[in-house]
Structures are given as structure tokens and as C-alpha cells.
Amino acid sequence: MSFIDTLKARAAENKKTIVLPESMDARTYEAAEKVMKEGFANVVLVGSPAEVEKFGAGFDLTGVTIVDPATSEKTAGYIDALVEIRKKKGLTPEQAKEILLKDYLYYGVMMVKMGDADGMVSGACHSTADTLRPCLQILKTKPGTKLVSAFFLMIVPDCEYGENGTFVFADSGLNQDPTSDELASIANSSAESFELLVGKPAKVAMLSHSTKGSAKHALVDKVTDAVALAHEQFPDLTVDGEFQLDAAIVPSVGASKAPGSEIAGHANVLIFPNLDAGNIGYKLTQRLAKAEAYGPVTQGIAKPVNDLSRGCSADDIVGVVAITAVQAQAQ
């Protein structure tokens, strides 16, 4: 059984309802059909009958719940709730109604907020900013979390590194140039996500172009400071660095470059120093190593809402639905 099939099996044990708001994209319908046939989650599509007929033609949507914001009996309650949430920003009922009827991402997030769905997956045809904006406005951050961040769950075939080729890469989708304190927070959130999804102890490596002082630069200092802060703020977190990539995941290189480190050569959670490195790293691994890349999966939001790469396939959406369902089980 593949790793993602294992997640689907876990999701099926306690089915959650996941909303897919991008009813203008055929990949959404293909993914909804696959999820329903595999039976590991309940699916809600947000869209008008005309949109579903136009974009969902040819797909079997048996069992899928279709919610039309213009006619749903829940919409009035969502409008009232959104006005209350955004009252300090001066949002009027008329403005709230316009947002919810026109922007299905906001509608989907309100479904999650009001308990009518357990999570949401979006981003096939929207930017990360478009997906996360309603989440941060409506759901807010998870209690005790300083920062919302994003990771990719990477599954590399025929790979002896990491957890049998399974890694978390973070932040690979959201924070452009995190500070040392933010990197420490990302490391802790990523370790929690790895352990939830993979079920194995997280071994976190803070990545750099330097290993244990082999180079001197302010960029290196940022990472070494992040390691120190992570040890101080999260004493139960198994984390070390700074490491070059090979020192982090290759046992022989780790033993040579960082002798005595329990992480060197054995890392399964890789924390990149900035978004440039994280985004390039996951796409190199995906394209050159033929890895499965699921994400960007968000962490630190009060309820599970996950983003997608706009280059995603329907199967990628299915995988992120499974991840979101497992996250919802842990709520």
C-alpha cells in the first residue's frame, strides 16, 4: 500500500466532509468523482446548477453534495456570521452577501467555520493569497501558534533517505523570508504535521549552504539562531543544524560533516531558509526524482484548509483531500 493510500484508509475510518469551492475547474469534478468512488471522505462542491452543468459535464457526481450560495438556506446565517466576524472592519450585510455569493472560497471557509464542513481544499485555479486570505480573516490562527506556514509532503520513489523516502519540506509555499524566530515556529509546526501524517518521530534539519560553521555569513547566522531558538522554545523538538542538504539526509555525509549529531544524515523534516529555496527544492525533487508532492499544506490555521499548486492534477487534489481529512480527524 502506498503512503497516500494509507492516509486514505485512515480517512475512511472516520469520514470527514471536505468542501471544494473551485466549481469552475474540471479537475475539481474529476477529483470529487475519485474521492466518492474511493469512499474515504464526503465531498461538497460550491456552485450554481449552471456552473456544475457546464464544468462538471461527463463526471459522475453521485453522492457529492452541491451547494448553491444563491439558494442555500444556510447563506443568510453565513452572512450574519461574517458580518459579526468582520464588524471591526466595518463590513455591512450587503457587502458580506456580495462576497459570499461571488467568492466561493469565502463561502467554503464559512462552511468550515460554521461546522457544515470539516475542511477545505482550494488553489487549483486560485493563488495561495486568494486561498489563505479568507482563512486568516475568518478562521484565524490555531491557539498557541505564532505563524501560519505551508509545507509539501514529499514522497520520493526508491529512496532510502528520510522516512523511506517520505519528507516534509517547509516552508515551501507561504513565508518568503522568515526570521529566525519564525523559522523556529515553522520547524515545530512541521514536526507536528509530519508526526500526524506519517506516524513516525520527526527529525528536523534546519538547512543552509553551510554545515556547522563551514561558512560565515548573515544568512548562516539566521539559521543557527533559529536552531537555538527552537531548542529554547520547543525543548521536546528533535532539531539540529545548520546543515547542507547532503549532511542532513545522507548518513555518511552527516557523520563526516556533523559528527555526534543525532539528526545529521537522518532528517525527515527539512526546513528551508526562505521561500526561494523551499519552492525550488520541492519542484526539483518533484520533477527530477519523480516524487509525489502534496501541498502546499497549511499549518497553524484553526481548522484545516489547504492550498494546491495551480499546476496540480486531479490526483493531487485527491491526495490533499485525504491529508485534509486526516488533519480534521485530529481537531
Side-chain angles (χ1 to χ4, degrees), residues 27 37 42 47 57 72 79 98 100 104 123 164 168 187 198 201 224 231 234 266 273 292 303 324-325 331:
R27 291 170 294 177
K37 286 183 176 177
N42 302 313
S72 173
I79 292 170
E98 182 178 7
L100 291 174
Y104 293 167
N164 296 318
V168 157
V198 183
T224 58
H231 285 150
F234 311 107
H266 304 285
E292 299 172 49
K303 292 188 178 183
T324 307
Q331 287 286 303

mmCIF file of all heavy atoms in Angstrom, residues 27 37 42 47 57 72 79 98 100 104 123 164 168 187 198 201 224 231 234 266 273 292 303 324-325 331:
data_model
loop_
_atom_site.group_PDB
_atom_site.id
_atom_site.type_symbol
_atom_site.label_atom_id
_atom_site.label_comp_id
_atom_site.label_asym_id
_atom_site.label_seq_id
_atom_site.Cartn_x
_atom_site.Cartn_y
_atom_site.Cartn_z
ATOM 1 N N ARG A 27 -10.805 19.823 -13.048
ATOM 2 C CA ARG A 27 -10.026 18.966 -12.140
ATOM 3 C C ARG A 27 -10.754 18.755 -10.817
ATOM 4 O O ARG A 27 -10.632 17.693 -10.189
ATOM 5 C CB ARG A 27 -8.647 19.573 -11.894
ATOM 6 C CG ARG A 27 -7.716 19.555 -13.090
ATOM 7 C CD ARG A 27 -6.468 20.380 -12.836
ATOM 8 N NE ARG A 27 -6.799 21.806 -12.710
ATOM 9 C CZ ARG A 27 -5.900 22.759 -12.423
ATOM 10 N NH1 ARG A 27 -4.636 22.434 -12.238
ATOM 11 N NH2 ARG A 27 -6.270 24.020 -12.339
ATOM 12 N N LYS A 37 -15.769 7.641 -5.236
ATOM 13 C CA LYS A 37 -15.628 6.235 -5.612
ATOM 14 C C LYS A 37 -14.721 5.484 -4.645
ATOM 15 O O LYS A 37 -14.941 4.309 -4.347
ATOM 16 C CB LYS A 37 -15.103 6.131 -7.047
ATOM 17 C CG LYS A 37 -16.164 6.481 -8.091
ATOM 18 C CD LYS A 37 -15.659 6.300 -9.511
ATOM 19 C CE LYS A 37 -16.782 6.574 -10.519
ATOM 20 N NZ LYS A 37 -16.315 6.467 -11.932
ATOM 21 N N ASN A 42 -16.473 12.644 2.541
ATOM 22 C CA ASN A 42 -17.650 13.246 1.922
ATOM 23 C C ASN A 42 -17.216 14.537 1.225
ATOM 24 O O ASN A 42 -16.360 15.262 1.744
ATOM 25 C CB ASN A 42 -18.715 13.549 2.972
ATOM 26 C CG ASN A 42 -19.138 12.315 3.728
ATOM 27 O OD1 ASN A 42 -19.404 11.272 3.133
ATOM 28 N ND2 ASN A 42 -19.194 12.404 5.048
ATOM 29 N N GLY A 47 -21.302 25.752 -5.968
ATOM 30 C CA GLY A 47 -21.515 26.245 -7.324
ATOM 31 C C GLY A 47 -22.981 26.270 -7.691
ATOM 32 O O GLY A 47 -23.814 25.600 -7.073
ATOM 33 N N ALA A 57 -19.698 18.512 -16.648
ATOM 34 C CA ALA A 57 -20.276 17.596 -17.634
ATOM 35 C C ALA A 57 -19.383 16.386 -17.851
ATOM 36 O O ALA A 57 -18.165 16.510 -18.021
ATOM 37 C CB ALA A 57 -20.493 18.329 -18.956
ATOM 38 N N SER A 72 -29.065 28.430 -1.082
ATOM 39 C CA SER A 72 -28.920 27.639 0.141
ATOM 40 C C SER A 72 -29.576 28.323 1.333
ATOM 41 O O SER A 72 -29.440 29.534 1.535
ATOM 42 C CB SER A 72 -27.437 27.412 0.451
ATOM 43 O OG SER A 72 -27.288 26.784 1.718
ATOM 44 N N ILE A 79 -24.039 35.011 6.205
ATOM 45 C CA ILE A 79 -23.918 36.465 6.060
ATOM 46 C C ILE A 79 -23.861 37.114 7.437
ATOM 47 O O ILE A 79 -22.986 37.957 7.720
ATOM 48 C CB ILE A 79 -25.097 37.032 5.237
ATOM 49 C CG1 ILE A 79 -24.991 36.566 3.786
ATOM 50 C CG2 ILE A 79 -25.125 38.558 5.316
ATOM 51 C CD1 ILE A 79 -26.229 36.863 2.956
ATOM 52 N N GLU A 98 -22.541 40.052 -0.932
ATOM 53 C CA GLU A 98 -21.856 40.104 -2.231
ATOM 54 C C GLU A 98 -20.620 39.215 -2.230
ATOM 55 O O GLU A 98 -20.369 38.480 -3.190
ATOM 56 C CB GLU A 98 -21.460 41.543 -2.558
ATOM 57 C CG GLU A 98 -20.796 41.681 -3.918
ATOM 58 C CD GLU A 98 -20.458 43.122 -4.260
ATOM 59 O OE1 GLU A 98 -20.617 43.997 -3.392
ATOM 60 O OE2 GLU A 98 -20.024 43.374 -5.401
ATOM 61 N N LEU A 100 -19.999 36.535 -0.346
ATOM 62 C CA LEU A 100 -20.335 35.116 -0.263
ATOM 63 C C LEU A 100 -20.978 34.581 -1.545
ATOM 64 O O LEU A 100 -20.802 33.409 -1.889
ATOM 65 C CB LEU A 100 -21.246 34.859 0.936
ATOM 66 C CG LEU A 100 -20.574 35.039 2.304
ATOM 67 C CD1 LEU A 100 -21.584 34.905 3.423
ATOM 68 C CD2 LEU A 100 -19.444 34.028 2.502
ATOM 69 N N TYR A 104 -16.541 31.977 -3.964
ATOM 70 C CA TYR A 104 -16.860 30.680 -3.368
ATOM 71 C C TYR A 104 -15.819 30.235 -2.342
ATOM 72 O O TYR A 104 -16.112 29.384 -1.495
ATOM 73 C CB TYR A 104 -17.010 29.626 -4.455
ATOM 74 C CG TYR A 104 -18.208 29.813 -5.363
ATOM 75 C CD1 TYR A 104 -18.324 29.098 -6.549
ATOM 76 C CD2 TYR A 104 -19.237 30.701 -5.031
ATOM 77 C CE1 TYR A 104 -19.428 29.253 -7.390
ATOM 78 C CE2 TYR A 104 -20.338 30.866 -5.868
ATOM 79 C CZ TYR A 104 -20.421 30.131 -7.052
ATOM 80 O OH TYR A 104 -21.504 30.289 -7.870
ATOM 81 N N GLY A 123 -7.184 26.125 -4.601
ATOM 82 C CA GLY A 123 -5.913 26.592 -5.141
ATOM 83 C C GLY A 123 -5.576 26.090 -6.525
ATOM 84 O O GLY A 123 -4.566 26.492 -7.101
ATOM 85 N N ASN A 164 11.900 6.389 4.662
ATOM 86 C CA ASN A 164 11.676 5.580 3.461
ATOM 87 C C ASN A 164 11.227 6.437 2.281
ATOM 88 O O ASN A 164 10.312 6.078 1.525
ATOM 89 C CB ASN A 164 10.647 4.477 3.734
ATOM 90 C CG ASN A 164 11.133 3.485 4.769
ATOM 91 O OD1 ASN A 164 12.295 3.080 4.747
ATOM 92 N ND2 ASN A 164 10.257 3.104 5.689
ATOM 93 N N VAL A 168 8.788 15.993 4.916
ATOM 94 C CA VAL A 168 8.087 17.274 4.908
ATOM 95 C C VAL A 168 9.105 18.338 4.526
ATOM 96 O O VAL A 168 10.192 18.409 5.119
ATOM 97 C CB VAL A 168 7.449 17.580 6.278
ATOM 98 C CG1 VAL A 168 7.217 19.082 6.467
ATOM 99 C CG2 VAL A 168 6.118 16.849 6.416
ATOM 100 N N ALA A 187 9.542 25.117 12.147
ATOM 101 C CA ALA A 187 10.122 23.805 12.462
ATOM 102 C C ALA A 187 9.217 23.010 13.399
ATOM 103 O O ALA A 187 8.975 21.807 13.192
ATOM 104 C CB ALA A 187 11.502 23.984 13.091
ATOM 105 N N VAL A 198 2.571 10.999 9.065
ATOM 106 C CA VAL A 198 3.446 9.854 8.794
ATOM 107 C C VAL A 198 3.440 8.855 9.951
ATOM 108 O O VAL A 198 3.670 7.662 9.759
ATOM 109 C CB VAL A 198 4.882 10.337 8.473
ATOM 110 C CG1 VAL A 198 5.799 9.169 8.116
ATOM 111 C CG2 VAL A 198 4.866 11.337 7.316
ATOM 112 N N PRO A 201 8.511 9.482 14.414
ATOM 113 C CA PRO A 201 9.139 10.645 15.052
ATOM 114 C C PRO A 201 9.766 11.575 14.023
ATOM 115 O O PRO A 201 10.420 11.137 13.077
ATOM 116 C CB PRO A 201 10.205 10.016 15.955
ATOM 117 C CG PRO A 201 9.748 8.615 16.182
ATOM 118 C CD PRO A 201 9.054 8.202 14.921
ATOM 119 N N THR A 224 21.413 29.433 12.292
ATOM 120 C CA THR A 224 21.934 28.977 13.589
ATOM 121 C C THR A 224 21.146 29.593 14.739
ATOM 122 O O THR A 224 20.878 28.929 15.753
ATOM 123 C CB THR A 224 23.430 29.306 13.730
ATOM 124 O OG1 THR A 224 23.645 30.721 13.578
ATOM 125 C CG2 THR A 224 24.255 28.578 12.683
ATOM 126 N N HIS A 231 15.438 25.155 20.109
ATOM 127 C CA HIS A 231 15.786 24.390 21.313
ATOM 128 C C HIS A 231 15.228 25.057 22.572
ATOM 129 O O HIS A 231 14.760 24.379 23.493
ATOM 130 C CB HIS A 231 17.308 24.281 21.430
ATOM 131 C CG HIS A 231 17.922 23.312 20.479
ATOM 132 N ND1 HIS A 231 19.188 23.454 19.968
ATOM 133 C CD2 HIS A 231 17.451 22.170 19.927
ATOM 134 C CE1 HIS A 231 19.465 22.454 19.157
ATOM 135 N NE2 HIS A 231 18.415 21.657 19.119
ATOM 136 N N PHE A 234 11.016 25.092 22.133
ATOM 137 C CA PHE A 234 10.367 23.789 21.953
ATOM 138 C C PHE A 234 11.335 22.684 22.410
ATOM 139 O O PHE A 234 11.928 21.987 21.586
ATOM 140 C CB PHE A 234 9.974 23.597 20.482
ATOM 141 C CG PHE A 234 9.230 24.763 19.890
ATOM 142 C CD1 PHE A 234 9.835 25.618 18.974
ATOM 143 C CD2 PHE A 234 7.917 25.034 20.261
ATOM 144 C CE1 PHE A 234 9.163 26.699 18.432
ATOM 145 C CE2 PHE A 234 7.227 26.113 19.725
ATOM 146 C CZ PHE A 234 7.861 26.952 18.814
ATOM 147 N N HIS A 266 19.968 11.808 8.947
ATOM 148 C CA HIS A 266 18.740 11.061 9.232
ATOM 149 C C HIS A 266 17.491 11.945 9.213
ATOM 150 O O HIS A 266 16.414 11.486 9.612
ATOM 151 C CB HIS A 266 18.849 10.386 10.599
ATOM 152 C CG HIS A 266 20.040 9.490 10.731
ATOM 153 N ND1 HIS A 266 20.120 8.254 10.140
ATOM 154 C CD2 HIS A 266 21.229 9.694 11.368
ATOM 155 C CE1 HIS A 266 21.296 7.704 10.415
ATOM 156 N NE2 HIS A 266 21.986 8.550 11.158
ATOM 157 N N PRO A 273 15.669 27.872 4.418
ATOM 158 C CA PRO A 273 15.895 29.201 5.000
ATOM 159 C C PRO A 273 14.985 30.286 4.459
ATOM 160 O O PRO A 273 14.776 31.309 5.113
ATOM 161 C CB PRO A 273 17.363 29.499 4.667
ATOM 162 C CG PRO A 273 17.677 28.640 3.479
ATOM 163 C CD PRO A 273 16.848 27.396 3.657
ATOM 164 N N GLU A 292 6.149 12.357 -5.627
ATOM 165 C CA GLU A 292 4.805 12.866 -5.396
ATOM 166 C C GLU A 292 4.929 14.064 -4.454
ATOM 167 O O GLU A 292 5.621 13.991 -3.438
ATOM 168 C CB GLU A 292 3.922 11.802 -4.760
ATOM 169 C CG GLU A 292 3.726 10.552 -5.602
ATOM 170 C CD GLU A 292 2.998 9.475 -4.840
ATOM 171 O OE1 GLU A 292 1.942 9.772 -4.233
ATOM 172 O OE2 GLU A 292 3.488 8.330 -4.816
ATOM 173 N N LYS A 303 -8.635 25.641 11.678
ATOM 174 C CA LYS A 303 -9.238 24.445 11.104
ATOM 175 C C LYS A 303 -8.556 24.162 9.768
ATOM 176 O O LYS A 303 -8.026 25.078 9.138
ATOM 177 C CB LYS A 303 -10.749 24.623 10.921
ATOM 178 C CG LYS A 303 -11.515 24.718 12.247
ATOM 179 C CD LYS A 303 -13.025 24.706 12.023
ATOM 180 C CE LYS A 303 -13.762 24.741 13.356
ATOM 181 N NZ LYS A 303 -15.239 24.653 13.186
ATOM 182 N N THR A 324 -6.209 16.516 4.272
ATOM 183 C CA THR A 324 -7.101 17.432 4.990
ATOM 184 C C THR A 324 -8.058 16.669 5.889
ATOM 185 O O THR A 324 -8.343 17.080 7.024
ATOM 186 C CB THR A 324 -7.884 18.292 3.974
ATOM 187 O OG1 THR A 324 -6.967 18.911 3.068
ATOM 188 C CG2 THR A 324 -8.693 19.368 4.684
ATOM 189 N N ALA A 325 -8.536 15.538 5.412
ATOM 190 C CA ALA A 325 -9.444 14.718 6.214
ATOM 191 C C ALA A 325 -8.751 14.174 7.454
ATOM 192 O O ALA A 325 -9.331 14.168 8.557
ATOM 193 C CB ALA A 325 -9.993 13.566 5.371
ATOM 194 N N GLN A 331 -8.534 17.293 14.905
ATOM 195 C CA GLN A 331 -9.026 18.525 15.511
ATOM 196 C C GLN A 331 -9.634 18.256 16.876
ATOM 197 O O GLN A 331 -10.393 17.311 17.045
ATOM 198 C CB GLN A 331 -10.062 19.176 14.598
ATOM 199 C CG GLN A 331 -9.475 19.813 13.365
ATOM 200 C CD GLN A 331 -8.750 21.122 13.658
ATOM 201 O OE1 GLN A 331 -9.353 22.040 14.201
ATOM 202 N NE2 GLN A 331 -7.500 21.190 13.293
#
